Amino acid sequence: MDIFEEIKVKGFADEYIDPSLDLFAEIEKLKKEKNAVILAHYYQEGDIQDIADYIGDSLGLSQQAAKTDADIIVFAGVHFMAETAKILSPNKKVLLPDMKAGCSLADSCPPHLFRKFKENYPDHLVITYVNCTAELKALSDIVCTSSNAVQIVESLPEEQKIIFGPDRNLGAWVAKKTGRDLVLWNGACMVHEIFSREKITKLKERYPNAKILAHPECEEVILQLADYIGSTTGILKYATNSPEKEFIVATEAGILHQMQKDNPDKTFIPAPPNNTCACNDCPHMKRNTLEKLYLCLKNEMPEIEVPAHIIEKAVKPIERMLEISASLGL
């Protein structure tokens, strides 16, 4: 099986790596040789966050992808994030360590079905959460992230009718915060929907002084328990700025690595999911490993490709988001 077939089947080039190889040093060397930059989401494993040039949430990563002067972008995240980078930097080579690092939320909104859904509301403006495919962005008027969704909706005239997709939980939270009547697509993130209200309540009994921090992709029954609701960056900033010392965190557990690094004197407890696992990891985010990152930079594949006609349509709503965010100082 050649490397192209292997990537097609496995999602990555499964080469032998000498176990004595210092992957951190090799990756740093390759970055300099190839003028490459590594962008990593907070949900990646700790080693990847430590080697990254920039760590952030979807808004921050989009902003970095738009302004980098690197020739190669290695996106340590999931497929839609790498697609967004390619849309914003179409002349750069964008790599994803594992091509099968997908997204349950993006999968919950097939573009052909959303197109028909959209036709039912011809006078509505379409705002889509960045956690969606390039094709869905191409059907949108504005893209948003959990960091700026409320502000983007509030920036529009009150009489403007809005479709919001694909995340119904984020959309419901935005509607509640803004007082706007949004038409919601019925999509959701498997990670953020799995938290157990009962288990979090019991955990709170063990840590009565702990503040509960939740991502707005969580269900309403979880958000009702939260002391703070916000994006991954918002959660991180809240924990850093808070005088409290204990926190129960209801989002993907990868963020705890950065939270602990920034706040070594504080305790962070992952909110328990409604299953037998002790943590809450995104199986797609965790497909990426340091070994796969090294191989993808070494071989310059898997490479993300987005058709030119999709880029032409999808870049407009993303740029509109970045313009609104910049004007609001986000």
Side-chain angles (χ1 to χ4, degrees), residues 11-221:
F12 62 99
D14 193 11
E15 291 181 28
Y16 170 77
I17 300 175
D18 185 338
S20 67
L21 195 67
D22 184 341
L23 290 179
F24 285 94
E26 290 298 316
I27 290 169
E28 290 292 350
K29 186 172 76 173
L30 287 169
K31 274 166 46 180
K32 290 174 184 174
E33 288 175 2
K34 297 172 182 277
N35 187 27
V37 65
I38 298 173
L39 307 182
H41 195 275
Y42 284 125
Y43 296 167
Q44 292 294 286
E45 65 175 42
D47 283 348
I48 291 178
Q49 291 189 45
D50 290 342
I51 196 69
D53 298 289
Y54 178 83
I55 313 160
D57 61 6
S58 293
L59 175 59
L61 291 167
S62 296
Q63 291 166 330
Q64 288 294 318
K67 70 183 184 183
T68 182
D69 58 0
D71 296 316
I72 295 175
I73 298 172
V74 181
F75 214 114
V78 291
H79 198 273
F80 77 79
M81 295 178 176
E83 278 187 334
T84 303
K86 185 65 177 179
I87 292 165
L88 290 167
S89 299
N91 296 321
K92 298 184 186 300
K93 182 174 282 190
V94 178
L95 308 176
L96 184 65
D98 191 324
M99 196 61 85
K100 293 192 176 182
C103 172
S104 60
L105 177 55
D107 291 344
S108 74
C109 191
H112 69 286
L113 295 181
F114 187 81
R115 185 181 289 106
K116 290 182 179 178
F117 178 77
K118 178 182 170 182
E119 288 171 359
N120 295 323
Y121 305 93
D123 56 345
H124 284 53
L125 182 142
V126 177
I127 299 177
T128 52
Y129 188 28
V130 71
N131 297 32
C132 65
T133 63
E135 288 87 349
L136 201 70
K137 291 179 176 72
L139 294 170
S140 310
D141 296 296
I142 311 176
V143 168
C144 74
T145 72
S146 53
S147 291
N148 60 21
V150 168
Q151 293 91 330
I152 284 177
V153 169
E154 288 179 339
S155 74
L156 300 171
E158 287 189 17
E159 64 274 14
Q160 177 63 61
K161 296 178 180 178
I162 298 169
I163 294 172
F164 189 97
D167 193 287
R168 62 174 179 262
N169 295 321
L170 176 62
W173 179 73
V174 171
K176 186 176 180 180
K177 292 281 284 186
T178 61
R180 304 288 281 269
D181 184 18
L182 307 180
V183 175
L184 305 180
W185 174 267
N186 190 27
C189 164
M190 61 182 279
V191 174
H192 288 97
E193 283 225 312
I194 205 169
F195 292 112
S196 164
R197 180 184 174 93
E198 181 184 0
K199 290 182 180 179
I200 292 173
T201 302
K202 288 181 179 178
L203 190 61
K204 178 72 172 174
E205 291 174 2
R206 288 173 53 200
Y207 299 93
N209 297 321
K211 294 292 183 183
I212 298 175
L213 314 181
H215 193 283
E217 286 182 43
C218 294
E219 293 180 311
E220 173 64 18
V221 292

Side-chain angles (χ1 to χ4, degrees), residues 166 197 230 240 252 295 318-319:
R197 180 184 174 93
T240 298
E252 211 274 355
L295 289 173
I318 300 173
E319 287 180 341

